[in-house]
Amino acid sequence: MNNILNLIKNDPWLEPYQEAIIGRHQHAIDKEMELADRKTLCDFASGHLYFGMHLVEKEWIFREWAPNATAIYLVGDFNNWMENPNFKLKRIKNTENWEIKLPKKTLKHGDLYKLKVYWKGGCGERIPAWATRVVQDEQTKIFSAQIWNPDKPYKFKKKVFLPNISPLMIYECHIGMAQDEEKVGTYNEFRENVLPRIAADGYNCIQIMAIQEHPYYGSFGYHVSSFFAPSSRFGTSDELKMLIDTAHQMGIAVIMDIVHSHAVKNEVEGLGNFAGDPCQYFYPGDRREHPAWDSLCFDYGKNQVIHFLLSNCRYWLEEFHFDGFRFDGVTSMLYYSHGLGESFCSYADYFNGRQDDNAICYLTLANRLIHQVNPRAITIAEEVSGMPGLAAPFNDGGYGFDYRMAMNIPDYWIKIIKEKRDEDWKPSSMFWEVTNRRKDEKTISYCESHDQALVGDKTIIFRLIDSDMYWHFKIGDENLNVERGIALHKMIRLLTASTINGGYLNFMGNEFGHPEWIDFPREGNGWSYKYARRQWNLVDNKELCYHYLGDFDSAMIHLLEKTKNIQKTDVIEVWHNDDDQVLAFRRKNFVFVFNFNPTRSFTDYGFLVMRGEYRVVLNTDDKAFGGFGLTDDTISHYTCADPLYAKEKKEWLKLYVPARTAMVLKRVNF
């Protein structure tokens, strides 16, 4: 129990809430003991091996949890979608589970099927909750489960993958919108066309959105219906496995954007009213529906629901070799209010009795399970409230996530771009924002994710340049607005990425300033795919300015990624002057210098650093990155001695710092 108090030792402001912290920790321990029943949590999370459709030796066995059902039939291609006594499930004695066993010849690869479920007062067709493949008919748009038993299932070539993720550089992506063409992209196209780009740019991890099957493409994958089925609109499960295997062979880890915070309301496709009980999987009463998301909230207090969700985590890790998860909507899970209308101004807001202790317990168990299955797995919490301990180790009293999203950073960049003149940007404020985090919790820093690229919002590049992107982004035709936008886009990214304490994230296409927002096909846009794609042709065109941004991003990622464990080193401020709008800090053997001043360049601007020779290794003003090349980066910079700082072994590094530029210098001889 002493280790639990490490959370409080690291943050004495938590001391008044020691009882609550210990209580939550003990709740998880007690629940794990209850569920595991003297075995491991991994043994408990094996529902996917029992429920659903399985070919066992010479017979098919199908099982489903349906406590409210009175009768269940398997219907599909094999019986002309008719109820047949030979396909009637039996309730397993003294359980809430149903089962049917069929000869192997009864079902074949590719057969479509559903359940016809009866309950008191009604009946309906349902897709099995544990279905591992679900397809949609192109004509009728109806979803069905599908038997998936190919003669030659995919076998992973990379049996063991040891990711090199120090630091973690994440490329957030969406399979369907990853192609230039106005259509839904596929797993194969992503593997062939996009993965090589990601590898070349230096990213060592991809975070894939919208994997779990969802009826409405425009939900971005956040209204999940079938939690164990990879979306068939992108291809087959074997093709997804090949994508992951190929990424591993390139040295790229693959994490999944997993949605356990809510589920789609759909009843036929989803779990909304599976067997005549609207609350089989979900909270009863007012807590059943999410007031902002038009979705349903899981009942994390039910052991069967925990079993379903934990099994889901294990399934994706073992069956597809995912390297971990980014958990979506964690704030919504933690609070009865879902975080809506909450200010989170004091620590009391995290321990005021309005937290869902069942959800906290589930998230803690999920992290313990995931790291049991794969000790090297990556777990990231998308959480905005700042709940203490979320990304602290379980043994220290935390919930066990490896990282939490630094969601304050993109909000900050949007705010200053929208509300402040360039002359009013304060380096002290910027530095505080990108380094403001709990010391015992690692974060994923980012300037913008998919959230900022959705229709109704704007990406950073579009906020900076707006419509001039359409008219003045050809090299040689740039106007002042474009030049400003290109310069600040690079500086914002460099400041955010160079101050990480865990990892950095970029959304697909934002690295080169993709000009369009994301708008999925819907009735309001004539079901168009025009904005649900990524225009790689823009960054490939050397006559356009997009490649400047893409090339800079690649150079930045390569510099940070090859500096092993840079995220673990201290970020030490060297200098800031808000009037000059100049900032400098050091990290390892690097010095990072920023001049956000829009008009003033400085000659012989001095910074006190460790003595030695310094060479420029990255410069936003490099002509190769769309800059003006105002400095000669081939020369070495030597520090000048100052007797006042001789004991500290510090000397003056004097530089020419042009307006609206940033440079990285490396100490090479000392």
Side-chain angles (χ1 to χ4, degrees), residues 324-339:
F325 306 99
R326 179 263 205 184
F327 277 75
D328 174 70
V330 170
T331 305
S332 177
M333 299 171 69
L334 295 178
Y335 304 95
Y336 295 140
S337 67
H338 305 295

Side-chain angles (χ1 to χ4, degrees), residues 277-317:
D277 179 6
C279 299
Q280 179 177 334
Y281 286 92
F282 308 106
Y283 276 124
D286 293 340
R287 297 187 62 196
R288 180 173 182 268
E289 294 194 18
H290 196 294
W293 294 348
D294 192 33
S295 56
L296 303 178
C297 303
F298 283 109
D299 185 345
Y300 306 103
K302 274 188 179 179
N303 287 354
Q304 297 94 330
V305 173
I306 296 176
H307 183 234
F308 179 81
L309 296 175
L310 288 181
S311 298
N312 193 236
C313 294
R314 180 182 169 190
Y315 166 77
W316 292 110
L317 290 171

Side-chain angles (χ1 to χ4, degrees), residues 171 177-182 197 448-449 452-454 457-466 469-470 473 489 493 506-519 529-540 544-550 553:
Y171 198 84
M177 58 172 288
Q179 303 304 316
D180 240 312
E181 295 180 65
E182 297 182 24
R197 291 179 180 272
E448 51 189 347
S449 67
Q452 288 73 41
L454 290 168
D457 207 335
K458 286 185 179 182
T459 59
I460 285 176
I461 196 68
F462 218 80
R463 289 186 185 279
L464 291 169
I465 302 177
D466 213 88
M469 292 195 70
Y470 298 119
F473 233 57
H489 192 269
R493 276 169 156 65
N506 165 73
F507 177 67
M508 176 176 67
N510 284 356
E511 73 277 9
F512 66 83
H514 197 285
E516 308 289 8
W517 54 81
I518 301 165
D519 190 11
Y529 287 88
K530 182 177 181 180
Y531 299 111
R533 61 189 179 117
R534 297 283 92 176
Q535 299 181 61
W536 304 107
N537 65 89
L538 297 176
V539 71
D540 291 341
L544 301 178
C545 295
Y546 297 100
H547 87 84
Y548 287 149
L549 301 179
D553 187 81

